[in-house]
Amino acid sequence: MLSLSGLRLRFGAAEIIAGIDLHIGAGELVVLLGPSGCGKTSLLRIAAGVERATAGRVENGFRRVAMVFQDPRLLPWADARDNAAFGLKAAGMGKAERRAIAEAILLRLGFSAGDLNKRPSQLSGGMMQRVAIARAFALSPDLVLMDEPFSALDVGLRHDLQALLRAEVEGAGAAVLFVTHDVTEAVRLADRIVVFSPRPACVVADVTQAPMLASVGAAYEASAALLRRPEIAAALAPPGVSPLALAGARERLSLAGKARAALR
Ligand SMILES: Nc1ncnc2c1ncn2[C@@H]1O[C@H](COP(=O)(O)OP(=O)(O)OP(=O)(O)O)[C@@H](O)[C@H]1O
């Protein structure tokens, strides 16, 4: 289990995190949903042990922690297979074994055999992000920290990768703490959605749900339902936009999504 208790963070005079209690159990996929700049990445960095909280306690019972970032951070001179095997090489595993593990994960994530030898400059953004995810899961992690890994991808690709990620997570039995500001992404992926307020961040909602990957229409509907909750609408409304206007706009989007899904 990862336990963050009474967590506070300040940078100089700026209060970033205003007191957060968050507990993540084994195998749980928890999405942190919050507006831009509210402190989500900072919380992930504290969980990873690369940032120190100003106050509070961090207890991490997970032993193998891996991270995935928005930018895939691949080695430009290494091919997809060697990039995905990078952590295993650093851990001292032999070449044949680590390349076999990396290859199996890449194929599960939608790589074709012909793409395994390609370098990052020959791969699309979606393929590079698959390599970054494979590099994390190759380590057999029990906790994966993911910081907006799909936010640079177009929506169709994002949907594909969300489904592949969920399958990989379930196969590995890993817990995941996944940061996003996209409500529909949260609804599609999460076992639990934790909503942060604008800075300084505190938790305004903690919603347990079943992930909704099966139907785009149902995910849009569930997103609209979340945004009808006043505390969630208020937390996610951009500055200067009334939460009610936002909920109305999301409702119209949901109807448009349903209409599109019906036409498929
Ligand atoms: N090292 C730092 N020194 C000073 N301020 C910082 C530092 N790191 C982050 N901040 C500030 O803390 C706030 C929260 O940043 P953080 O990246 O955690 O937010 P976020 O919710 O992940 O944002 P986004 O969704 O836009 O990525 C921002 O205002 C940021 O400018």
Side-chain angles (χ1 to χ4, degrees):
M1 163 170 288
L2 172 68
S3 278
L4 311 175
S5 315
L7 207 71
R8 291 180 173 277
L9 179 69
R10 303 185 73 92
F11 287 121
E15 188 176 25
I16 310 296
I17 295 175
I20 281 183
D21 295 301
L22 185 63
H23 309 283
I24 294 149
E28 209 179 5
L29 198 163
V30 177
V31 171
L32 292 187
L33 179 65
S36 189
C38 75
K40 304 181 296 295
T41 296
S42 300
L43 184 130
L44 219 55
R45 287 170 55 79
I46 292 170
V50 296
E51 186 81 65
R52 270 176 80 91
T54 311
R57 225 178 37 243
V58 179
E59 289 167 280
N60 188 356
F62 292 111
R63 286 286 150 258
R64 296 177 308 280
V65 181
M67 284 197 81
V68 181
F69 307 91
Q70 181 178 350
D71 136 32
R73 306 184 185 192
L74 304 181
L75 301 172
W77 59 84
D79 66 17
R81 206 193 270 103
D82 282 336
N83 263 295
F86 176 76
L88 297 176
K89 182 179 184 184
M93 185 182 282
K95 188 168 182 172
E97 194 183 353
R98 69 177 186 253
R99 283 167 66 90
I101 291 171
E103 179 171 326
I105 302 177
L106 284 169
L107 294 175
R108 283 203 297 276
L109 291 175
F111 254 72
S112 64
D115 288 336
L116 292 167
N117 297 322
K118 289 187 176 167
R119 293 192 178 161
S121 61
Q122 301 169 289
L123 297 172
S124 66
M127 298 301 265
M128 286 197 273
Q129 205 50 291
R130 284 170 221 253
V131 177
I133 293 169
R135 182 180 56 200
F137 280 91
L139 297 167
S140 306
D142 50 8
L143 175 65
V144 187
L145 304 171
M146 306 187 84
D147 194 359
E148 305 201 37
F150 306 143
S151 61
L153 308 178
D154 73 60
V155 70
L157 198 51
R158 218 181 306 157
H159 284 179
D160 289 349
L161 282 174
Q162 287 158 356
L164 289 166
L165 171 67
R166 184 76 219 188
E168 197 61 34
V169 167
E170 284 171 13
V176 177
L177 187 52
F178 185 107
V179 161
T180 186
H181 53 256
D182 175 348
V183 188
T184 306
E185 179 159 79
V187 163
R188 284 171 58 79
L189 276 174
D191 298 314
R192 243 175 87 204
I193 302 172
V194 177
V195 184
F196 281 7
S197 67
R199 217 183 87 190
C202 60
V203 174
V204 299
D206 190 332
V207 181
T208 298
Q209 60 139 41
M212 292 196 190
L213 287 161
S215 153
V216 174
Y220 280 124
E221 238 175 276
S223 306
L226 274 185
L227 287 164
R228 274 195 293 271
R229 289 174 55 166
E231 73 282 18
I232 295 180
L236 299 181
V241 176
S242 116
L244 276 179
L246 187 73
R250 294 286 180 173
E251 184 84 15
R252 288 193 291 282
L253 267 178
S254 160
L255 292 173
K258 270 192 273 183
R260 270 200 304 278
L263 288 173
R264 268 183 205 151

Tab-separated table of all heavy atoms in Angstrom, residues 148-175:
chain	number	residue	atom	x	y	z
A	148	GLU	N	0.017	11.914	-17.026
A	148	GLU	CA	-0.604	12.311	-18.291
A	148	GLU	C	0.046	11.634	-19.503
A	148	GLU	O	0.435	12.316	-20.470
A	148	GLU	CB	-0.556	13.839	-18.455
A	148	GLU	CG	-1.183	14.556	-17.270
A	148	GLU	CD	-1.611	15.978	-17.601
A	148	GLU	OE1	-2.070	16.196	-18.719
A	148	GLU	OE2	-1.490	16.839	-16.724
A	149	PRO	N	0.173	10.307	-19.498
A	149	PRO	CA	0.936	9.649	-20.566
A	149	PRO	C	0.293	9.756	-21.947
A	149	PRO	O	0.978	9.595	-22.946
A	149	PRO	CB	0.988	8.187	-20.102
A	149	PRO	CG	-0.200	8.019	-19.220
A	149	PRO	CD	-0.365	9.337	-18.528
A	150	PHE	N	-1.022	10.032	-22.006
A	150	PHE	CA	-1.698	10.018	-23.305
A	150	PHE	C	-2.145	11.411	-23.750
A	150	PHE	O	-2.825	11.538	-24.770
A	150	PHE	CB	-2.927	9.092	-23.259
A	150	PHE	CG	-2.621	7.697	-22.794
A	150	PHE	CD1	-3.510	6.998	-21.990
A	150	PHE	CD2	-1.440	7.071	-23.169
A	150	PHE	CE1	-3.230	5.707	-21.569
A	150	PHE	CE2	-1.149	5.780	-22.758
A	150	PHE	CZ	-2.046	5.096	-21.953
A	151	SER	N	-1.769	12.445	-22.997
A	151	SER	CA	-2.392	13.747	-23.268
A	151	SER	C	-1.929	14.353	-24.593
A	151	SER	O	-2.603	15.221	-25.135
A	151	SER	CB	-2.138	14.712	-22.121
A	151	SER	OG	-0.771	14.908	-21.985
A	152	ALA	N	-0.798	13.889	-25.153
A	152	ALA	CA	-0.346	14.455	-26.435
A	152	ALA	C	-0.911	13.680	-27.634
A	152	ALA	O	-0.601	14.006	-28.774
A	152	ALA	CB	1.177	14.449	-26.487
A	153	LEU	N	-1.726	12.659	-27.374
A	153	LEU	CA	-2.190	11.798	-28.475
A	153	LEU	C	-3.623	12.144	-28.876
A	153	LEU	O	-4.398	12.639	-28.057
A	153	LEU	CB	-2.127	10.329	-28.033
A	153	LEU	CG	-0.786	9.871	-27.458
A	153	LEU	CD1	-0.879	8.423	-27.018
A	153	LEU	CD2	0.333	10.047	-28.490
A	154	ASP	N	-3.982	11.850	-30.132
A	154	ASP	CA	-5.357	12.151	-30.543
A	154	ASP	C	-6.314	11.147	-29.892
A	154	ASP	O	-5.903	10.107	-29.391
A	154	ASP	CB	-5.487	12.195	-32.066
A	154	ASP	CG	-5.411	10.824	-32.690
A	154	ASP	OD1	-6.263	9.974	-32.366
A	154	ASP	OD2	-4.496	10.599	-33.483
A	155	VAL	N	-7.598	11.490	-29.922
A	155	VAL	CA	-8.545	10.794	-29.056
A	155	VAL	C	-8.701	9.304	-29.398
A	155	VAL	O	-8.802	8.467	-28.497
A	155	VAL	CB	-9.913	11.538	-29.018
A	155	VAL	CG1	-10.644	11.431	-30.344
A	155	VAL	CG2	-10.778	11.036	-27.884
A	156	GLY	N	-8.668	8.947	-30.705
A	156	GLY	CA	-8.825	7.543	-31.068
A	156	GLY	C	-7.665	6.703	-30.533
A	156	GLY	O	-7.857	5.628	-29.949
A	157	LEU	N	-6.474	7.234	-30.708
A	157	LEU	CA	-5.264	6.549	-30.234
A	157	LEU	C	-5.281	6.448	-28.705
A	157	LEU	O	-4.907	5.419	-28.123
A	157	LEU	CB	-4.063	7.389	-30.680
A	157	LEU	CG	-2.707	6.718	-30.704
A	157	LEU	CD1	-2.775	5.414	-31.477
A	157	LEU	CD2	-1.707	7.663	-31.374
A	158	ARG	N	-5.740	7.520	-28.073
A	158	ARG	CA	-5.819	7.531	-26.609
A	158	ARG	C	-6.752	6.410	-26.133
A	158	ARG	O	-6.437	5.678	-25.201
A	158	ARG	CB	-6.360	8.886	-26.159
A	158	ARG	CG	-5.703	9.387	-24.915
A	158	ARG	CD	-6.262	10.710	-24.465
A	158	ARG	NE	-6.230	11.730	-25.500
A	158	ARG	CZ	-7.030	12.801	-25.518
A	158	ARG	NH1	-7.928	12.966	-24.562
A	158	ARG	NH2	-6.922	13.691	-26.464
A	159	HIS	N	-7.878	6.260	-26.818
A	159	HIS	CA	-8.818	5.202	-26.434
A	159	HIS	C	-8.175	3.823	-26.577
A	159	HIS	O	-8.316	2.958	-25.707
A	159	HIS	CB	-10.091	5.296	-27.274
A	159	HIS	CG	-10.992	6.424	-26.842
A	159	HIS	ND1	-12.175	6.704	-27.459
A	159	HIS	CD2	-10.867	7.331	-25.848
A	159	HIS	CE1	-12.755	7.735	-26.863
A	159	HIS	NE2	-11.969	8.144	-25.892
A	160	ASP	N	-7.451	3.604	-27.699
A	160	ASP	CA	-6.780	2.309	-27.901
A	160	ASP	C	-5.793	2.048	-26.764
A	160	ASP	O	-5.746	0.969	-26.178
A	160	ASP	CB	-5.976	2.304	-29.210
A	160	ASP	CG	-6.879	2.286	-30.426
A	160	ASP	OD1	-8.095	2.064	-30.255
A	160	ASP	OD2	-6.368	2.523	-31.543
A	161	LEU	N	-4.988	3.066	-26.471
A	161	LEU	CA	-3.936	2.871	-25.460
A	161	LEU	C	-4.518	2.706	-24.056
A	161	LEU	O	-3.973	1.968	-23.236
A	161	LEU	CB	-2.935	4.026	-25.506
A	161	LEU	CG	-1.937	3.894	-26.660
A	161	LEU	CD1	-1.056	5.116	-26.777
A	161	LEU	CD2	-1.060	2.663	-26.481
A	162	GLN	N	-5.636	3.377	-23.784
A	162	GLN	CA	-6.282	3.188	-22.475
A	162	GLN	C	-6.690	1.726	-22.295
A	162	GLN	O	-6.467	1.130	-21.233
A	162	GLN	CB	-7.509	4.102	-22.355
A	162	GLN	CG	-7.150	5.570	-22.161
A	162	GLN	CD	-8.272	6.517	-22.560
A	162	GLN	OE1	-9.321	6.092	-23.062
A	162	GLN	NE2	-8.058	7.804	-22.343
A	163	ALA	N	-7.273	1.136	-23.363
A	163	ALA	CA	-7.716	-0.261	-23.272
A	163	ALA	C	-6.514	-1.197	-23.108
A	163	ALA	O	-6.533	-2.123	-22.283
A	163	ALA	CB	-8.524	-0.631	-24.505
A	164	LEU	N	-5.439	-0.930	-23.873
A	164	LEU	CA	-4.242	-1.784	-23.779
A	164	LEU	C	-3.591	-1.637	-22.403
A	164	LEU	O	-3.121	-2.619	-21.819
A	164	LEU	CB	-3.251	-1.415	-24.889
A	164	LEU	CG	-3.684	-1.819	-26.303
A	164	LEU	CD1	-2.820	-1.130	-27.353
A	164	LEU	CD2	-3.610	-3.339	-26.465
A	165	LEU	N	-3.568	-0.414	-21.885
A	165	LEU	CA	-2.982	-0.197	-20.556
A	165	LEU	C	-3.759	-0.958	-19.497
A	165	LEU	O	-3.178	-1.631	-18.650
A	165	LEU	CB	-2.975	1.300	-20.222
A	165	LEU	CG	-2.590	1.613	-18.774
A	165	LEU	CD1	-1.130	1.247	-18.512
A	165	LEU	CD2	-2.833	3.091	-18.438
A	166	ARG	N	-5.069	-0.852	-19.550
A	166	ARG	CA	-5.913	-1.507	-18.541
A	166	ARG	C	-5.647	-3.027	-18.564
A	166	ARG	O	-5.518	-3.661	-17.523
A	166	ARG	CB	-7.361	-1.147	-18.844
A	166	ARG	CG	-8.399	-1.642	-17.885
A	166	ARG	CD	-8.457	-0.856	-16.593
A	166	ARG	NE	-8.695	-1.805	-15.516
A	166	ARG	CZ	-8.950	-1.492	-14.260
A	166	ARG	NH1	-8.991	-0.251	-13.875
A	166	ARG	NH2	-9.133	-2.414	-13.364
A	167	ALA	N	-5.537	-3.600	-19.787
A	167	ALA	CA	-5.280	-5.044	-19.905
A	167	ALA	C	-3.910	-5.385	-19.314
A	167	ALA	O	-3.747	-6.382	-18.593
A	167	ALA	CB	-5.352	-5.472	-21.366
A	168	GLU	N	-2.919	-4.548	-19.585
A	168	GLU	CA	-1.556	-4.795	-19.083
A	168	GLU	C	-1.534	-4.713	-17.549
A	168	GLU	O	-0.910	-5.527	-16.874
A	168	GLU	CB	-0.608	-3.754	-19.696
A	168	GLU	CG	0.859	-4.093	-19.614
A	168	GLU	CD	1.255	-5.381	-20.332
A	168	GLU	OE1	0.671	-5.709	-21.373
A	168	GLU	OE2	2.165	-6.066	-19.813
A	169	VAL	N	-2.239	-3.725	-17.019
A	169	VAL	CA	-2.293	-3.536	-15.566
A	169	VAL	C	-2.939	-4.754	-14.915
A	169	VAL	O	-2.450	-5.268	-13.895
A	169	VAL	CB	-3.101	-2.256	-15.228
A	169	VAL	CG1	-3.450	-2.194	-13.762
A	169	VAL	CG2	-2.316	-1.020	-15.632
A	170	GLU	N	-4.033	-5.218	-15.498
A	170	GLU	CA	-4.726	-6.370	-14.904
A	170	GLU	C	-3.849	-7.620	-14.995
A	170	GLU	O	-3.782	-8.400	-14.049
A	170	GLU	CB	-6.087	-6.585	-15.586
A	170	GLU	CG	-7.077	-5.540	-15.091
A	170	GLU	CD	-8.397	-5.518	-15.858
A	170	GLU	OE1	-8.664	-6.465	-16.630
A	170	GLU	OE2	-9.145	-4.535	-15.674
A	171	GLY	N	-3.142	-7.790	-16.121
A	171	GLY	CA	-2.241	-8.933	-16.262
A	171	GLY	C	-1.116	-8.890	-15.237
A	171	GLY	O	-0.740	-9.910	-14.659
A	172	ALA	N	-0.586	-7.696	-14.996
A	172	ALA	CA	0.558	-7.553	-14.088
A	172	ALA	C	0.114	-7.519	-12.619
A	172	ALA	O	0.915	-7.749	-11.722
A	172	ALA	CB	1.319	-6.271	-14.424
A	173	GLY	N	-1.160	-7.201	-12.383
A	173	GLY	CA	-1.641	-7.066	-10.992
A	173	GLY	C	-1.036	-5.864	-10.289
A	173	GLY	O	-0.969	-5.817	-9.061
A	174	ALA	N	-0.605	-4.864	-11.074
A	174	ALA	CA	0.068	-3.704	-10.474
A	174	ALA	C	-0.962	-2.670	-10.017
A	174	ALA	O	-2.049	-2.573	-10.580
A	174	ALA	CB	0.986	-3.059	-11.514
A	175	ALA	N	-0.586	-1.893	-8.997
A	175	ALA	CA	-1.358	-0.698	-8.643
A	175	ALA	C	-0.872	0.431	-9.538
A	175	ALA	O	0.297	0.456	-9.941
A	175	ALA	CB	-1.143	-0.340	-7.185
